[in-house]
Amino acid sequence: MKHIRIHLETTHTANKSSIPINTFYWEKMWDSYTIDFASVEILCWKEEVKQIHELSTISAQSDDQGLVKLFTISLNKDNRSYLRNQSVDSNGGLKWFTLHFYKKDIQMLEIGQYGSEIVLYGVEKKEADEFQELFFKIKHAEYFTEHLI
């Protein structure tokens, strides 16, 4: 599957080793690229107790997976609003380590490293170039014509 992978310039905090310099892209990306997505899986490190508690209140399902806890969240109106407006951590980056967005059962967007690594799947080169324009301080971006799993 064609896709673009973007690595943003990063910094760190006491609790996070890699976060984007800024998250100005978040709301625009959310409004423009997640409209048709049905669900999101969010992974938190088990020691992120506050984030786990927060996601527990909106998730349809959760699962312990070793060092991380996985939450599956349906993207209804309330959850969309909450995630769009409450995902940025006041200490930097996104609150959660990894997010996988799904359109039906196909992963369409992946956001990792607290928002510093972004992959958008199923896009042509022109769409990938437009997507890339959302981001500030890109360290590296690459477009792929195939995705081999």
Side-chain angles (χ1 to χ4, degrees):
M1 178 186 298
K2 297 176 182 180
H3 66 282
I4 184 167
R5 177 178 300 275
I6 296 172
H7 295 268
L8 301 176
E9 288 188 17
T10 61
T11 187
H12 65 279
T13 66
N15 298 326
K16 297 176 184 174
S17 61
S18 178
I19 60 170
I21 298 289
N22 70 60
T23 54
F24 295 141
Y25 66 87
W26 181 251
E27 290 176 0
K28 177 121 175 128
M29 184 186 72
W30 187 269
D31 294 343
S32 301
Y33 291 92
T34 69
I35 295 166
D36 296 331
F37 299 164
S39 64
V40 60
E41 291 178 342
I42 301 178
L43 287 99
C44 294
W45 295 107
K46 288 224 177 146
E47 60 266 16
E48 296 174 325
V49 177
K50 181 180 175 186
Q51 293 85 338
I52 288 171
H53 176 72
E54 184 177 20
L55 292 175
S56 295
T57 64
I58 63 170
S59 70
Q61 177 181 332
S62 65
D63 185 34
D64 288 329
Q65 296 189 341
L67 298 174
V68 297
K69 186 151 182 127
L70 172 72
F71 294 91
T72 303
I73 300 169
S74 299
L75 292 176
N76 59 36
K77 182 180 177 184
D78 291 338
N79 289 345
R80 282 181 181 283
S81 177
Y82 179 80
L83 292 170
R84 179 194 183 274
N85 298 316
Q86 303 298 321
S87 293
V88 176
D89 188 336
S90 60
N91 295 317
L94 299 180
K95 292 179 182 178
W96 309 296
F97 184 67
T98 304
L99 299 93
H100 298 128
F101 289 85
Y102 291 87
K103 186 175 186 176
K104 296 186 182 179
D105 61 347
I106 300 170
Q107 184 179 328
M108 299 302 296
L109 177 65
E110 178 179 342
I111 302 168
Q113 298 292 325
Y114 299 106
S116 61
E117 296 178 5
I118 300 102
V119 182
L120 181 65
Y121 297 99
V123 291
E124 297 295 329
K125 178 70 168 118
K126 182 180 178 195
E127 296 168 299
D129 291 342
E130 290 170 0
F131 182 70
Q132 188 172 333
E133 290 175 12
L134 292 176
F135 303 97
F136 178 75
K137 299 253 182 186
I138 294 175
K139 182 176 180 181
H140 178 74
E142 190 170 2
Y143 179 74
F144 297 87
T145 56
E146 292 183 36
H147 177 65
L148 304 175
I149 296 177

